[in-house]
Every structure is written in C-alpha cells, then in structure tokens.
Amino acid sequence: MLRKISLTAASAVVVLATFGAPGASAGTVKDRPAAVAQAAAPADNLAPGPYHRTLDPLVGTWKAVKYNYILGTGGKPIVSRDMTVRVRWISKTGGRFLEEKTEGTLGDRAYYRLGVLGFSTIDRRYEWTTFDSVTPTAMTYRGAPVSDKTSVLSIPGEFTDPGVLGPDHLGQSIPMRTVITIRSKNRHTFELYFTPPGQPERLVDRVVYTRKL
C-alpha cells in the first residue's frame, strides 16, 4: 500500500514538473517548486514529524507517584508510590506511536495500565488511549488541531461512567481531559479531569513521573 502511494505521488511530481501546475503557464519555472511540494504532501502525512519529536522526552523508565481522588475520601487522594512506568516508541509502527506500560498497586490492589499515545499528521492532533485493570472500558482522547509545538498537551475525550462518580451518573457520558505537562527530560505529569453534568471540571487523577537513572 505504501509503495503504491509513493509511486502515485512520484508520478504526480513528474507530471507537474513537465507540464506545470493547473492554471499556470507551462513555461513559468517559479511556480513549479510549489506544485512539486503540493504533490509530495500526501507522503509527508504518512511519516512521523516534529510533533512526534515533542514526545521523545517521555521515553524511558520512570518511577511514578499516583494521586487518585476518585478512590480517596474527604477530598484527599489515595497515593501510590510504587509504580514503575516503561515507555517506548513502537518500532513496528514505524515510530508513530508510543507505548506506555504501568505496573504497581492502587490502594490495596495490583494495578496495570497500557496506554498508546501518538500524533495524527493528517488531523494535526494528539491521540491517547488507555486500558487498565480498574476501568471496564477504553479511555480514548482526541485533541484539537495544533499549529505550534508545546510542552503542555491538553487532550479531551468522553467516557461512559460505570459508576465511579456515584449512582446518579451511572451510564452517563462524562467529558474528560488529559493534560500532559513535559517539565524536563527527567520529569513530567499526567493529569486527568472529569466534568460531570451540571458540575465544574475537577481533577480526579494525577501522576508524577521521575526518570529512573
């Protein structure tokens, strides 16, 4: 499939280089580089780019401290300090997606989470999906289109509440948002916010990552 797309793009470049862009004079040399760049654009959409490189500081092995307000009481979170997180680029995807594996304990139970984070070059947005040992559904986030690189990624989504917010919200669609803040190459945070119907957005989970050296 990739070879077919590459050949098509290459053929378009040859045609445009020979006859010129539509609506332009065939002898107008100055217009040809723009036409060639336009024909090559589809191939660029298939390759990892600078927005993927923004995620490079997340790669490595991390000690994670998790503050979970859903399971806490009286406004105080349950704190887990024994979590280990391993993050790598998935080479078999051509380095398009990061895999995050988290293992440790949450409260008095073993905890596991698998997350996949990437950047859609055609949509120009970050995408984040997680699967864990607590939530009975995938948590999927799709960001708004971005135009500038940043160290703070805000990625919204929605999930169907299985009852974690109480019986009044069981089965409701709850807006959510993950905020990834890359503070340095050795430290970053993931924060999860929920916005129950008729209520302000609130922090429900925060994880602080410190690189294991």
Side-chain angles (χ1 to χ4, degrees), residues 180-191:
I180 303 169
T181 304
I182 302 173
R183 303 182 183 278
S184 72
K185 66 178 181 179
N186 293 320
R187 185 179 174 87
H188 60 273
T189 60
F190 276 54
E191 294 173 319

Side-chain angles (χ1 to χ4, degrees), residues 168-187:
D168 291 343
H169 299 295
L170 177 64
Q172 291 186 343
S173 180
I174 307 296
M176 60 183 178
R177 183 168 65 101
T178 286
V179 178
I180 303 169
T181 304
I182 302 173
R183 303 182 183 278
S184 72
K185 66 178 181 179
N186 293 320
R187 185 179 174 87

